[in-house]
Amino acid sequence: MLRQQKTDRVAWFAMIAIILFLAELLLFRHGDVFFLLFVIGCMYIGRKRMPKLSGVVLFWFGLISFVISLASMATFRILLFFILVYIIWQYMQSKKAPVQIQPVMVERKHGESSLLERKPRWKNHFFNSQKTPEHVYEWEDINIQNGISDVVIDLSYTVLPKGEAVIVIRHLIGTVQILVPYEVEVRLHHSAIYGSAIVFERKEANLWNETVCFQTKGYEEAEQKVKILTSMIIGTIEVKHV
């Protein structure tokens, strides 16, 4: 069902692109469309003739001309506007209904032996916010990439293993909130183009292309500890006690 929805979404975008292309051809400057087709042909021929010098020159001439020509098309700017509106709408929807992640275990047999396959609890999302379920769940290290959304990780509903648990999150825009029990020691390594970091009682506001590192006093000797590695374009990292 989900795959079908994604396919339908791509089909809609393709249909909109075709309609805008025809609108450019019929309503605006015809020459831009024909020049765009010409430079696409240059790119194709140049790619075929690589690595000859003539092929390299033809390909890069076509690529640079394609970008300039595409940016000058009125329909392309209209398409960018609708994409921006769609991104904002998706972000608003994700704030209303965050995705709750629950563990799924699948057992598959390979010959005489059996292999236990663990489906990752956390998945990469561009729009959907993610949060841990509000019930006990089995811990597994986290390594995800997120787009425009929020992420909430509550460690109070899980039992961390002895040693160092790892959380790695690469984020574009939004808030990443990690809730940590008082008895768990924490090390945070965070970088951001612009944003802020709130780590327990410490607050770093207006981070501009900076990296900050924090570590609780008993981290090195602790039996249970969490290493948090986060990076984002714009947003806030919050690490709080629960």
Side-chain angles (χ1 to χ4, degrees):
M1 182 67 179
L2 183 59
R3 184 176 298 177
Q4 181 63 38
Q5 290 178 352
K6 290 182 178 179
T7 303
D8 292 344
R9 193 174 299 171
V10 172
W12 273 107
F13 274 121
M15 188 178 300
I16 292 172
I18 292 172
I19 293 173
L20 291 176
F21 181 83
L22 293 175
E24 182 78 25
L25 181 63
L26 297 174
L27 302 177
F28 300 101
R29 293 173 294 178
H30 301 177
D32 287 349
V33 176
F34 292 113
F35 182 72
L36 191 65
L37 295 176
F38 169 73
V39 296
I40 291 174
C42 291
M43 292 169 59
Y44 177 78
I45 296 173
R47 184 68 181 85
K48 287 288 187 180
R49 301 187 64 176
M50 282 185 174
K52 294 181 180 180
L53 179 61
S54 59
V56 173
V57 172
L58 198 59
F59 175 80
W60 283 105
F61 165 77
L63 181 60
I64 295 172
S65 300
F66 176 81
V67 173
I68 295 173
S69 178
L70 194 65
S72 67
M73 294 176 64
T75 51
F76 178 73
R77 294 192 289 268
I78 294 172
L79 180 61
L80 285 180
F81 171 76
F82 281 112
I83 290 174
L84 179 61
V85 171
Y86 177 75
I87 290 174
I88 294 173
W89 180 81
Q90 284 284 358
Y91 179 65
M92 294 175 63
Q93 294 299 311
S94 69
K95 299 286 273 187
K96 295 179 182 178
V99 177
Q100 291 195 357
I101 310 299
Q102 300 184 18
V104 178
M105 300 292 291
V106 178
E107 186 174 350
R108 292 183 179 178
K109 292 186 177 180
H110 298 268
E112 296 181 355
S113 63
S114 61
L115 177 65
L116 189 62
E117 179 183 344
R118 181 188 295 268
K119 290 188 176 180
R121 182 180 302 112
W122 295 83
K123 296 183 179 180
N124 298 331
H125 287 285
F126 194 81
F127 294 111
N128 292 335
S129 296
Q130 300 190 73
K131 64 180 296 185
T132 49
E134 296 180 356
H135 56 73
V136 177
Y137 64 92
E138 182 183 2
W139 171 256
E140 64 180 40
D141 288 344
I142 298 171
N143 183 5
I144 58 171
Q145 301 178 83
N146 256 46
I148 304 172
S149 57
D150 293 336
V151 176
V152 179
I153 300 174
D154 190 344
L155 302 182
S156 64
Y157 288 103
T158 189
V159 178
L160 295 173
K162 289 186 177 181
E164 189 176 64
V166 180
I167 298 174
V168 180
I169 301 175
R170 290 167 291 276
H171 207 57
L172 288 182
I173 300 174
T175 299
V176 175
Q177 185 180 70
I178 301 175
L179 306 177
V180 184
Y182 280 91
E183 65 274 12
V184 177
E185 303 293 333
V186 174
R187 172 185 288 170
L188 171 69
H189 192 283
H190 174 70
S191 64
I193 300 300
Y194 176 75
S196 59
I198 302 172
V199 185
F200 305 134
E201 71 280 356
R202 182 73 175 269
K203 182 175 182 180
E204 295 287 338
N206 299 323
L207 297 175
W208 283 95
N209 195 26
E210 292 184 51
T211 297
V212 294
C213 301
F214 297 100
Q215 177 178 308
T216 53
K217 292 182 179 179
Y219 184 84
E220 298 296 344
E221 300 79 17
E223 290 189 358
Q224 286 186 316
K225 49 191 175 182
V226 179
K227 183 178 182 180
I228 304 170
L229 305 171
T230 55
S231 60
M232 60 179 59
I233 303 298
I234 301 174
T236 301
I237 174 69
E238 297 181 7
V239 182
K240 297 183 178 181
H241 278 137
V242 289

